[in-house]
Amino acid sequence: MPDSKKYFAHETAVIDEGCEIEAGTKIWHFSHIMPNCKIGENCNIGQNVVISPQVILGKNVKVQNNVSIYTGVICEDDVFLGPSMVFTNVINPRSAVNRKNEYAKTTVKKGASIGANATIVCGHDIGRYAFIGAGAVVTKDVPDYALVIGNPAKQTGWMSEFGHKLNFDKNGLAVCSESQEKYELKEGKVTKL
C-alpha cells in the first residue's frame, strides 16, 4: 500500500495494492484507484472517479467528478479531465466476448483539456495543449493546440497554452490574449515561438 502520509485520500476512497501515488495528490469521496496505477505529484482526483489498473497520470492532472479512466490511458503532466467525460478502451465491446487483450492505448499529452461529457474513442491521441469542447466525441487523433468540438469532433481552430482561441494573421502568426505568448501556424501545425 502506498505511503498515505504524502498524499490525501478521503476515508471513502478505495486504493488497491501496488499503486504509486506521489506527494500532494488529493483523492476525494467514493473514488477507486485500482491496482498498479501510477499517479504523479499534485493531482486532484474528484468524487466518484474510477482509475482502472495500470493507468498512468503525470503531475498536476485534474480529474473532475464522475470520470472513469480505463486501462490503456496515459495522461501526461497538466492534463484537465472535465466532469463526466469518458474514455473507452475497446473498439467493439461485447458483453459475452472477452477483449481484455485488445485494449487500445490513448495518450493525452501535456497540458491538454477535455471538456465535460466529452467522449474519447480509444486508440486516438490528444495532442499537447489541445482543447476538446464539452460533449465532443473524438474519433481520430487531435493535433497539438487544436480546438475540436461536436459529434464527431471536428477541428474549428487553435488554442494557446493559456486556453484562449488563437487568431492567426496572414503571416501565420498569433498572440495569446492573456499571456502575450506568440504562436506560428505553418503547414497545418502550431508551434509556440
Side-chain angles (χ1 to χ4, degrees), residues 83-150:
S84 302
M85 65 78 50
V86 176
F87 287 103
T88 67
N89 63 359
V90 174
I91 290 291
N92 57 342
R94 292 288 194 201
S95 178
V97 180
N98 184 332
R99 292 200 164 104
K100 288 183 179 178
N101 295 328
E102 298 177 28
Y103 289 162
K105 303 272 186 233
T106 298
T107 301
V108 183
K109 295 185 180 171
K110 179 181 173 64
S113 293
I114 301 176
N117 295 306
T119 300
I120 310 302
V121 175
C122 59
H124 302 293
D125 293 339
I126 309 301
R128 296 174 70 246
Y129 300 101
F131 201 98
I132 312 303
V137 178
V138 173
T139 60
K140 59 186 177 183
D141 288 354
V142 176
D144 294 350
Y145 299 102
L147 168 63
V148 300
I149 61 173

Side-chain angles (χ1 to χ4, degrees), residues 10-189:
H10 188 270
E11 64 184 20
T12 60
V14 175
I15 300 170
D16 290 342
E17 293 293 326
C19 294
E20 295 176 29
I21 302 171
E22 298 298 326
T25 287
K26 293 181 171 78
I27 302 166
W28 294 100
H29 305 67
F30 313 113
S31 288
H32 186 180
I33 314 301
M34 297 178 81
N36 304 313
C37 292
K38 292 183 181 179
I39 300 176
E41 295 175 350
N42 300 317
C43 292
N44 191 69
I45 311 300
Q47 180 174 301
N48 195 37
V49 169
V50 175
I51 301 180
S52 293
Q54 301 160 2
V55 163
I56 299 171
L57 302 182
K59 297 176 185 172
N60 197 43
V61 174
K62 306 295 187 229
V63 183
Q64 301 303 300
N65 296 345
N66 307 312
V67 173
S68 294
I69 308 174
Y70 295 116
T71 301
V73 174
I74 297 171
C75 293
E76 294 181 355
D77 297 348
D78 303 319
V79 164
F80 177 86
L81 303 178
S84 302
M85 65 78 50
V86 176
F87 287 103
T88 67
N89 63 359
V90 174
I91 290 291
N92 57 342
R94 292 288 194 201
S95 178
V97 180
N98 184 332
R99 292 200 164 104
K100 288 183 179 178
N101 295 328
E102 298 177 28
Y103 289 162
K105 303 272 186 233
T106 298
T107 301
V108 183
K109 295 185 180 171
K110 179 181 173 64
S113 293
I114 301 176
N117 295 306
T119 300
I120 310 302
V121 175
C122 59
H124 302 293
D125 293 339
I126 309 301
R128 296 174 70 246
Y129 300 101
F131 201 98
I132 312 303
V137 178
V138 173
T139 60
K140 59 186 177 183
D141 288 354
V142 176
D144 294 350
Y145 299 102
L147 168 63
V148 300
I149 61 173
N151 180 6
K154 294 196 182 334
Q155 185 175 350
T156 62
W158 303 97
M159 298 291 273
S160 74
E161 292 182 10
F162 276 67
H164 297 282
K165 193 165 184 180
L166 294 169
N167 296 309
F168 288 94
D169 65 17
K170 63 182 179 185
N171 298 316
L173 300 175
V175 177
C176 172
S177 61
E178 182 174 355
S179 69
Q180 302 305 306
E181 293 171 326
K182 294 178 173 70
Y183 295 83
E184 182 179 37
L185 174 59
K186 189 174 185 180
E187 296 175 5
K189 293 184 180 177

